Amino acid sequence: PYTYLVNRKGEVVHEWKGTYSAFNPYLMDDGSIVLGENDPDYPVFGFGGPYGRIQKISWDGKILWDFEYADTTQILHHDFAVTPNGNILAIAYETSSYDYALARGRKPELIPRSGPWMEKIIEIEPQGISGGKIVWEWRIEDHLVQDFDETKANYGNVAEHPELFNYNVGDSVPARITQDSLDILKAMGKGGRNLTLDNPHSDIFHINAINYNEELDQIAFSSPEFSEVFIIDHSVSTEEAAGHEGGNSGKGGDILFRWGNPENYHMGDSTDRKLYYQHDIRWIEKGKPGEGNLTIYNNDIPMGPDSLHYSAIYEIKTPLLQNGTYELMSNNTFGPEELAWNYVAKDTLSFYGSFVSGAHRMENGNTFINEGPKGRLFEVTPDRDIVWEYLVPYRGNIHKPNGDPVDIMPDTYFIFRATFVPADHPALQGKELKPMDPQPEPFVMPPPPPEEDKKT
């Protein structure tokens, strides 16, 4: 449940303690953090990054807010963004049925028996110690298009509607496994706590990151299943967000900008693809070099057929117009064609994190990178030189809801999100940031068992 503040020497100088296993903390100006908490008893969902609870914890460890959004039909998952007024923009799954998906034009071979999980973004206004009012909502189901079945809803020419999500992106659902196989998977701790015979591959969009731009009043988010990043208008009302008109953009809740994989809307081919299971879309804030551009952690780039993969950090300049919309290129896709900046390891392969992970621009113009699976944090200059590096040594004492320990392999030290905090951050002013004594206990991998133990 711990969130650590670590200095440049790798010493923990402060900790916040939550209630459950915690991740994705955002530091507030008053020294509190807002973070996701893994709710211990959420039903239905159990893989694809659900957590179901957000807490706000003061600098001195008091739980200021503890909000649960997890039931049989919906759950918070992955990322959220804290807006300047203190509201929370959060990603949430919502359940649907097989018949629901079929009626809306999804191909039968793409529909899991339990139905796909749809996505929405909700804005939560914290109230009291545990309350939250949903003051705004955007749902992906209101912005679908399909060209599979003209007798079903959402039918249209996908290539003519880049402002909508093609409902038939994805791979066919594999054959159903047996109950014996499911029991073995659960015994091995694989697949998530609420895995059933019918719900594998329900997570069809898997939105994994969200970021808010106050000046534009727009939201950016990332879908690795689409290998695309998207921008939508937040200035719309909830009613307008369900339609195609209204807001500063005049486009309602439709997609204003998308980038990474134009094949999703039947434009271009595989050579036009830029992103591969990316994470952590962020606008570069005002006052930082590259302000207004987007940074993306491009996780899983193939070097060629049947070859090794690598990761990269991309910075792109969007084709933003004065009216808050984005310009389409002549081929009906969104630019840019060229990157504003990128980082790849000098040997290409030594920087690779296939999932989680993130990056953001620092005040000095360097870029702070979280290579998530390894728990590796490092800082690179605009010339791509590494000037600071840290391997997270902590794991904690992690258990499943039933008390069983979580397997230490393969994700021993992995970090979903790490954020660089400058020394002049308001939260740190007047704080005595001495190394804690004692320091938290590092996790040391146990030695492999002796050969005779392996045999037994």
Side-chain angles (χ1 to χ4, degrees):
Y2 292 97
T3 298
Y4 295 138
L5 183 66
V6 179
N7 66 20
R8 286 285 201 171
K9 296 179 180 180
E11 300 163 325
V12 177
V13 297
H14 190 71
E15 66 180 15
W16 296 261
K17 185 178 184 297
T19 308
Y20 309 103
S21 58
F23 78 107
N24 203 20
Y26 290 95
L27 180 63
M28 302 291 102
D29 286 352
D30 63 358
S32 65
I33 58 169
V34 181
L35 75 164
E37 294 270 359
N38 195 23
D39 190 79
D41 57 2
Y42 60 74
V44 178
F45 309 91
F47 52 92
Y51 59 93
R53 187 181 291 265
I54 298 176
Q55 288 188 341
K56 185 175 184 179
I57 304 172
S58 70
W59 180 268
D60 57 358
K62 295 184 176 65
I63 305 296
L64 304 176
W65 186 56
D66 186 3
F67 175 73
E68 182 180 2
Y69 191 84
D71 57 35
T72 57
T73 63
Q74 57 198 358
I75 191 169
L76 301 173
H77 73 94
H78 281 87
D79 200 7
F80 59 88
V82 184
T83 65
N85 67 2
N87 287 358
I88 310 292
L89 288 167
I91 306 162
Y93 291 128
E94 53 182 352
T95 57
S96 69
S97 69
Y98 181 96
D99 290 341
Y100 167 99
L102 197 65
R104 282 156 181 78
R106 191 161 172 87
K107 296 177 181 178
E109 65 267 26
L110 301 181
I111 308 175
R113 287 172 177 263
S114 65
W117 298 340
M118 303 303 286
E119 299 268 11
K120 61 183 176 180
I121 297 172
I122 58 173
E123 182 172 354
I124 308 160
E125 180 186 282
Q127 296 185 333
I129 189 66
S130 62
K133 180 181 179 182
I134 308 304
V135 297
W136 184 86
E137 182 176 272
W138 173 91
R139 304 174 77 201
I140 208 167
E141 72 167 21
D142 297 319
H143 305 279
L144 301 174
V145 63
Q146 56 89 15
D147 57 7
F148 167 66
D149 188 340
E150 62 182 4
T151 68
K152 303 291 174 61
N154 307 309
Y155 184 76
N157 186 328
V158 171
E160 292 179 358
H161 292 284
E163 78 281 6
L164 302 175
F165 295 86
N166 180 0
Y167 198 30
N168 284 307
V169 169
D171 298 323
S172 297
V173 175
R176 194 169 185 244
I177 64 173
T178 66
Q179 183 63 50
D180 286 346
S181 296
L182 179 65
D183 293 341
I184 291 170
L185 284 173
K186 288 191 170 184
M188 295 170 61
K190 307 292 184 183
R193 60 168 119 153
N194 294 320
L195 180 68
T196 70
L197 294 175
D198 295 333
N199 69 9
H201 307 280
S202 294
D203 181 13
I204 64 173
F205 297 104
H206 194 85
I207 297 176
N208 61 15
I210 185 171
N211 195 244
Y212 177 66
N213 187 310
E214 180 184 19
E215 183 178 3
L216 298 175
D217 203 6
Q218 294 178 0
I219 296 168
F221 60 88
S222 161
S223 167
E225 299 302 322
F226 274 64
S227 287
E228 280 190 282
V229 293
F230 303 89
I231 295 176
I232 59 172
D233 194 344
H234 177 255
S235 71
V236 296
S237 65
T238 295
E239 182 179 10
E240 291 170 329
H244 313 289
E245 296 179 355
N248 296 337
S249 66
K251 296 182 180 296
D254 283 345
I255 299 166
L256 301 181
F257 171 79
R258 62 193 302 173
W259 190 82
N261 191 8
E263 278 192 286
N264 289 334
Y265 48 104
H266 297 176
M267 299 302 297
D269 55 32
S270 60
T271 63
D272 298 300
R273 182 173 174 181
K274 303 289 197 302
L275 296 179
Y276 295 86
Y277 212 79
Q278 78 291 330
H279 283 68
D280 201 23
I281 179 73
R282 302 201 203 189
W283 272 285
I284 298 176
E285 294 103 328
K286 268 193 167 183
K288 298 179 181 179
E291 66 177 63
N293 290 349
L294 294 171
T295 55
I296 306 163
Y297 192 111
N298 198 5
N299 287 72
D300 202 24
I301 308 169
M303 296 185 70
D306 303 317
S307 66
L308 296 172
H309 292 205
Y310 67 99
S311 296
I313 308 303
Y314 286 178
E315 176 187 342
I316 63 170
K317 181 177 177 61
T318 62
L320 178 66
L321 300 173
Q322 286 190 336
N323 64 358
T325 63
Y326 296 80
E327 184 178 18
L328 276 167
M329 298 191 296
S330 59
N331 63 357
N332 212 37
T333 67
F334 289 96
E337 289 281 4
E338 303 296 329
L339 302 175
W341 179 85
N342 76 315
Y343 172 78
V344 177
K346 292 181 179 179
D347 64 358
T348 305
L349 295 174
S350 63
F351 171 45
Y352 177 56
S354 62
F355 68 107
V356 297
S357 309
H360 60 276
R361 185 59 41 82
M362 299 165 64
E363 285 76 2
N364 63 4
N366 292 350
T367 300
F368 186 83
I369 301 171
N370 165 34
E371 188 179 350
K374 293 180 184 175
R376 178 189 179 214
L377 315 179
F378 62 107
E379 177 185 350
V380 300
T381 68
D383 292 328
R384 302 170 182 83
D385 295 319
I386 297 174
V387 294
W388 182 83
E389 186 172 14
Y390 172 70
L391 295 175
V392 174
Y394 306 114
R395 173 177 174 81
N397 189 15
I398 308 173
H399 290 77
K400 302 174 188 176
N402 67 359
D404 292 343
V406 171
D407 192 346
I408 61 174
M409 296 297 289
D411 306 324
T412 310
Y413 299 103
F414 94 92
I415 301 292
F416 179 76
R417 177 70 49 79
T419 303
F420 178 78
V421 181
D424 62 356
H425 192 289
L428 306 185
Q429 304 316 299
K431 304 292 196 303
E432 189 175 19
L433 299 176
K434 292 183 176 180
M436 291 173 51
D437 186 17
Q439 288 283 289
E441 185 175 352
F443 177 80
V444 179
M445 285 287 288
E451 287 299 320
E452 58 269 20
D453 291 349
K454 290 182 182 178
K455 292 172 184 176
T456 53

